[in-house]
């Protein structure tokens, strides 16, 4: 089944070339079906690239998904044109009276700042608080996961001595959990971050459980026991060359960065990295949509309020 997006979104041509079923909103309006309503809060500077990555994964589900893109009103993007944001994105004031089946909060390149120092932190807190009563299940990614764990549970982040960047192997700690259904005992996904959380802080929270971790990358997938919140510390959505782009970007800035680990063949940055996490990324997003959005969300989204009565 398709994902429904605004006509003319740049991602459409790329996804259609990959045989991802994308339905313009005009066609979707003619269908008598209740699609899943997903809102994506895109905090990444490379917004068009991130849109394409996430829509590719959401479009691999047999479910019809209605997408809204959300930007921060209190932050001015330096890497995406104002025309693109104005045309395709909404602000919180425009969606706050709407309810959604699911929400995705992306990462952001602000890890080395304290949460409260981020210029849109107050607005993000407002959105995360709003999501508790207006979104059934929220998927937090990378810095978005750290921000969500901090806001919802007071779990702090810790800065590493050097950037954690590469493709890391993970082991599943809850093999029967629906989010990881179909995964092998070990799986690989990219990480790209300067900070992370520690197991001891997560284990102190009775409502949280760790689903997967890595000997090198640490705690990687966390969820609330009721399935309403998921925290993925890595970037399963990344393309094969995203880490390479980040590496060369930082090198060109004169930063002292190391090669992403387990990524370039023979550690040669001029060789094409293999895409070894595509199937796991697809399963992760499909399982989230199927088991924690589609099967559990009330048909009438107004019934979300009953969860708090």
């Amino acid at each position: 089944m398709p994902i429904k997006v605004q006509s003319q979104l740049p991602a459409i041509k790329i996804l259609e070339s990959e045989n991802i079923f994308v339905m313009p909103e005009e066609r979707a309006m003619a269908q008598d079906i209740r699609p899943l309503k997903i809102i994506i809060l895109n905090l990444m500077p490379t917004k068009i690239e991130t849109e394409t990555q996430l829509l590719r994964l959401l479009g691999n589900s047999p479910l019809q998904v209605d997408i809204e893109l959300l930007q921060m009103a209190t932050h001015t993007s330096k890497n995406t044109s104002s025309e693109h944001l104005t045309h395709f994105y909404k602000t919180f004031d425009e969606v706050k009276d709407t309810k959604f089946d699911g929400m995705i909060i992306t990462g952001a390149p602000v890890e080395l700042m304290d949460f409260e120092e981020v210029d849109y932190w107050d607005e993000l807190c407002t959105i995360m608080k709003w999501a508790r009563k207006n979104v059934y299940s929220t998927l937090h990614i990378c810095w978005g996961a750290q921000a969500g764990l901090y806001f919802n549970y007071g779990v702090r982040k810790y800065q590493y001595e050097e950037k954690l960047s590469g493709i890391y192997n993970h082991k599943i700690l809850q093999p029967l959990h629906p989010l990881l259904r179909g995964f092998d005992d070990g799986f690989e996904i990219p990480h790209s971050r300067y900070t992370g959380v520690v197991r001891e802080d997560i284990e102190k929270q009775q409502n949280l459980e760790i689903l997967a971790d890595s000997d090198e990358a640490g705690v990687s997938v966390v969820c609330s026991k009721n399935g309403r919140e998921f925290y993925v510390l890595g970037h399963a959505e990344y393309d094969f060359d995203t880490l390479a782009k980040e590496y060369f970007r930082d090198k060109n800035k004169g930063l002292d960065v190391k090669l992403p680990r387990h990524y370039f063949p023979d550690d040669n940055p001029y060789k094409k990295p293999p895409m070894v996490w595509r199937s796991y990324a697809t399963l992760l997003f499909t399982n989230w949509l199927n088991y924690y959005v589609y099967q559990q969300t009330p048909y009438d989204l107004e019934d979300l309020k009953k969860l708090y009565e």
Side-chain angles (χ1 to χ4, degrees), residues 15 38 48 55 75 87 118 143 147 158 170 178 225 235 240 245 284 289:
L15 297 175
I38 305 294
I48 295 176
L55 294 178
H75 177 76
H87 189 72
V118 177
W143 182 83
Y158 297 84
H170 301 71
K225 294 180 179 178
H235 280 286
F240 80 93
K245 291 178 180 177
L284 181 72
L289 280 177

Side-chain angles (χ1 to χ4, degrees), residues 66-85:
D66 186 346
I67 302 293
E68 289 279 10
L69 297 172
L70 184 63
Q71 63 169 316
M72 307 302 286
T74 50
H75 177 76
T76 301
S77 178
K78 299 177 182 178
N79 299 281
T80 306
S81 71
S82 58
E83 291 81 4
H84 182 85
L85 294 173

Side-chain angles (χ1 to χ4, degrees), residues 17-74:
S17 71
E18 300 173 4
N19 294 317
I20 303 295
F21 191 0
V22 181
M23 179 181 291
E25 55 188 344
E26 294 85 357
R27 181 179 173 189
M29 290 177 65
Q31 291 196 323
D32 186 17
I33 188 173
R34 179 4 199 126
L36 297 178
K37 297 178 64 174
I38 305 294
I39 188 165
I40 300 174
L41 175 55
N42 189 356
L43 303 174
M44 293 289 280
T46 52
K47 293 198 183 327
I48 295 176
E49 183 175 325
T50 301
E51 293 159 15
T52 305
Q53 292 169 350
L54 293 174
L55 294 178
R56 177 183 293 118
L57 293 167
L58 294 172
N60 268 323
S61 166
L63 306 167
Q64 183 173 325
V65 182
D66 186 346
I67 302 293
E68 289 279 10
L69 297 172
L70 184 63
Q71 63 169 316
M72 307 302 286
T74 50

Side-chain angles (χ1 to χ4, degrees), residues 2-4 33-40 58 63-69 90 94-104 130 134-139 288-289 292-294 297-302 304:
I3 49 174
K4 182 179 85 68
I33 188 173
R34 179 4 199 126
L36 297 178
K37 297 178 64 174
I38 305 294
I39 188 165
I40 300 174
L58 294 172
L63 306 167
Q64 183 173 325
V65 182
D66 186 346
I67 302 293
E68 289 279 10
L69 297 172
K90 293 184 178 178
E94 294 175 286
V95 303
K96 65 182 180 181
D97 295 324
T98 306
K99 290 180 169 52
F100 294 87
D101 297 285
M103 182 176 191
I104 296 174
W130 163 86
N134 294 278
V135 178
Y136 186 78
S137 186
T138 300
L139 175 62
W288 174 66
L289 280 177
Y292 293 100
V293 181
Y294 171 65
T297 308
Y299 182 85
D300 185 349
L301 286 173
E302 291 301 319
L304 280 174

Side-chain angles (χ1 to χ4, degrees), residues 49 53 56 167 190 237-249 260 263-264 269 271-278:
E49 183 175 325
Q53 292 169 350
R56 177 183 293 118
I167 311 301
E237 79 282 2
Y238 268 13
D239 292 325
F240 80 93
D241 60 348
T242 306
L243 288 178
K245 291 178 180 177
E246 293 179 350
Y247 170 74
F248 286 113
R249 176 202 63 198
Y263 180 58
F264 291 113
K271 288 187 176 182
K272 180 181 177 180
M275 181 81 170
V276 297
W277 62 92
R278 181 184 289 112

Side-chain angles (χ1 to χ4, degrees), residues 192-210:
S192 178
R193 50 191 169 88
Y194 289 93
T195 56
V197 298
V198 299
R199 170 181 292 275
E200 291 77 12
D201 292 345
I202 302 296
E203 291 177 337
K204 292 177 183 177
Q205 304 299 323
Q206 294 184 349
N207 189 43
L208 294 178
E209 58 181 337
I210 301 171

